[in-house]
């Protein structure tokens, strides 16, 4: 019908003038495009026809967009993307035009910009400029920018992180929004603490940004720890490195405990094979789930040593961590006792899986195995032969170790 309508108008002469001769004609075109907004192929066809008529298209650009932002945001995103691709408008043009439409809010404009970032995979200066100009005109609230920049961070490649960190700080954001975006970025970087794709400048930028927000970055010290850990060749060096980070415990999300970086860190710590180092490492972190931290760490070490057919290599230092009188300063002693107890429970539960015919002899001959540790491990071996696995603990371990990230 719109095709026929524009054909009729073109037969009458100047289409731009003819459309605006009556409110009925304008409303017909407006409603027709709104109805087509859910049908991309048909919408594309009519836009390609209408874009020849600049006054009509200019009217539709923002009025259709504003109406869709109120009623069907997903269709508004489709409309604006099409206008950019077909009519050559920029994000700045679109946001500037929408700011002049009564009733359009900052949240609605941000929703569109977020969808554009999701579509293109880039939060570049064109988006940031459009956002800043919009909030200058429409005002901001404590949430403004959060959705947009979280989408930008999710879409960005590690090589783009530093520029993104710099650009966020140029935006007109509330203190609450700035803090929320900072924490989102900081947590994402924690999962890339070992990545060579993330530049040192990115972590430095996060450190400075955190200082300005009075919220210390957690990704920076974790990255520094990983870098220094590469030089931890013996227990003394490892303890020295860990002590540098223990005062201000690195706060990690529970999901980090199930991540690949944590596996890498555990492998590096495990190479030292020292109970004191293990216990110091476990108390270096601040987490909401110490049980999962201890379980994941212990099981990863046991699995690797069992796969290499040398289970005693990790059984001995783990048992040492649980039984020998290591004291960790500035850490709740009740929590420390619970961690030691859990290590022993996991060792006993996993003994049947990790047992090898020569395990007892290796433990007895080991020069690294002190008497309390030797006695405890030999007792576990004996118990594993005469009793079934404790299904209760097994359920706990499986729940903690396989918890969703």
């Amino acid at each position: 019908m719109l095709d026929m309508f524009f054909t009729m108008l073109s037969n009458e002469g100047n289409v731009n003038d003819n459309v605006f001769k009556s409110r009925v004609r304008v409303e017909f075109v407006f409603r027709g495009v709104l109805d087509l907004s859910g049908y991309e192929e048909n919408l594309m066809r009519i836009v390609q026809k209408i874009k020849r008529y600049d006054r009509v298209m200019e009217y539709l650009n923002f009025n259709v967009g504003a109406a869709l932002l109120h009623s069907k945001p997903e269709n508004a995103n489709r409309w604006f993307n099409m206008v950019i691709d077909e009519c050559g408008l920029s994000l700045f043009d679109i946001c500037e035009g929408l700011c002049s439409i009564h009733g359009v809010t900052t949240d609605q404009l941000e929703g569109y910009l977020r969808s554009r970032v999701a579509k293109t995979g880039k939060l570049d200066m064109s988006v940031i400029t459009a956002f800043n100009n919009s909030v200058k005109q429409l005002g901001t609230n404590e949430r403004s920018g959060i959705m947009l920049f979280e989408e930008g961070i999710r879409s960005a490649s590690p090589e783009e992180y530093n520029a993104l960190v710099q650009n966020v700080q140029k935006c007109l954001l509330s203190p609450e929004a700035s803090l929320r975006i900072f924490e989102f970025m900081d947590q994402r970087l924690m999962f890339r603490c070992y990545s060579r794709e993330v530049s040192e400048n990115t972590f430095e930028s996060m450190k400075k940004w955190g200082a300005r927000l009075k919220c210390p970055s957690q990704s920076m010290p974790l990255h520094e720890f990983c870098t220094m850990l590469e030089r931890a060749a013996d227990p003394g060096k490892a303890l020295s490195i860990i002590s540098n980070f223990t005062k201000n415990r690195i706060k990690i999300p529970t999901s980090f405990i199930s991540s690949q970086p944590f596996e890498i860190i555990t492998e590096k710590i495990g190479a030292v094979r020292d109970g004191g180092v293990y216990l110091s490492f476990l108390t270096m972190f601040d987490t909401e789930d110490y049980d999962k931290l201890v379980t994941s760490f212990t099981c990863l070490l046991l699995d690797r040593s069992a796969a290499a057919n040398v289970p005693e290599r990790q059984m001995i230092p783990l048992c040492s961590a649980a039984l020998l009188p290591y004291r960790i300063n500035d850490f709740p002693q009740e929590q420390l006792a619970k961690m030691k107890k859990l290590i022993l429970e996991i060792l006993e539960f996993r003994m049947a899986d990790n047992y090898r015919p020569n395990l007892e002899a290796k433990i007895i001959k080991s020069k690294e195995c002190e008497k309390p540790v030797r006695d405890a491990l030999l007792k576990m071996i004996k118990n594993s032969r005469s009793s079934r696995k404790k299904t209760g603990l097994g359920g706990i371990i499986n729940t903690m170790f396989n918890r969703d990230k």
Side-chain angles (χ1 to χ4, degrees), residues 335-350:
Q335 180 64 52
L336 187 64
K338 283 177 63 179
M339 293 167 76
K340 290 182 173 186
K341 183 173 181 287
L342 183 54
I343 291 172
L344 285 176
E345 289 174 345
I346 296 170
L347 279 170
E348 185 160 10
F349 174 75
R350 296 289 299 273

Side-chain angles (χ1 to χ4, degrees), residues 228-241 268-274 277:
M228 294 176 71
L229 195 58
E230 295 294 327
R231 301 192 291 271
D234 57 74
K237 184 68 174 176
L239 282 171
S240 175
I241 291 169
K268 301 287 184 185
I269 292 290
V272 180
R273 287 163 39 194
D274 182 87
V277 171

Side-chain angles (χ1 to χ4, degrees), residues 23-91:
R23 186 65 197 169
V24 173
R25 289 184 172 186
V26 173
E27 193 70 15
F28 175 76
V29 175
F30 175 72
R31 292 293 171 189
V33 173
L34 282 183
D35 288 343
L36 286 175
S37 64
Y39 305 94
E40 188 164 0
E41 187 177 334
N42 290 332
L43 183 65
M44 173 72 77
R45 198 171 78 244
I46 201 64
V47 165
Q48 288 172 340
K49 187 177 189 91
I50 297 175
K51 71 180 183 181
R52 290 175 281 176
Y53 315 120
D54 53 353
R55 281 183 60 204
V56 178
M57 198 66 217
E58 185 178 345
Y59 171 81
L60 293 175
N61 281 340
F62 307 117
N63 287 285
V64 168
L68 289 174
L69 282 176
H70 287 299
S71 59
K72 298 176 181 177
E74 68 282 0
N75 289 359
N77 299 337
R78 181 184 298 113
W79 169 255
F80 287 128
N81 288 335
M82 194 171 290
V83 165
I84 287 173
D85 295 339
E86 290 296 320
C87 304
L89 265 71
S90 67
L91 283 175

Side-chain angles (χ1 to χ4, degrees), residues 187-305:
Q187 189 168 122
R188 197 165 188 87
L189 283 170
M190 290 180 76
F191 288 84
R192 287 160 177 76
C193 57
Y194 255 118
S195 174
R196 299 186 186 280
E197 296 175 306
V198 181
S199 70
E200 292 291 332
N201 290 337
T202 302
F203 292 104
E204 285 292 341
S205 296
M206 287 298 293
K207 183 178 180 179
K208 292 175 184 176
W209 187 16
R212 281 195 287 274
L213 294 174
K214 294 183 170 58
C215 179
S217 167
Q218 300 297 303
S219 61
M220 179 63 172
L222 186 60
H223 172 67
E224 288 177 333
F225 173 73
C226 292
T227 302
M228 294 176 71
L229 195 58
E230 295 294 327
R231 301 192 291 271
D234 57 74
K237 184 68 174 176
L239 282 171
S240 175
I241 291 169
I242 291 169
S243 68
N244 289 334
F245 297 90
T246 300
K247 270 189 185 177
N248 301 311
R249 287 191 166 82
I250 300 171
K251 187 170 184 178
I252 54 172
T254 302
S255 55
F256 183 78
I257 300 167
S258 303
S259 69
Q260 185 182 31
F262 184 77
E263 289 187 28
I264 297 171
I265 294 170
T266 296
E267 184 177 4
K268 301 287 184 185
I269 292 290
V272 180
R273 287 163 39 194
D274 182 87
V277 171
Y278 290 3
L279 214 53
S280 296
F281 169 73
L282 290 171
T283 56
M284 188 184 83
F285 297 105
D286 178 9
T287 176
E288 294 179 354
D289 196 339
Y290 279 105
D291 283 357
K292 182 173 183 180
L293 175 67
V294 173
T295 301
S296 182
F297 178 77
T298 305
C299 289
L300 282 168
L301 291 181
L302 289 174
D303 287 344
R304 289 186 182 279
S305 61

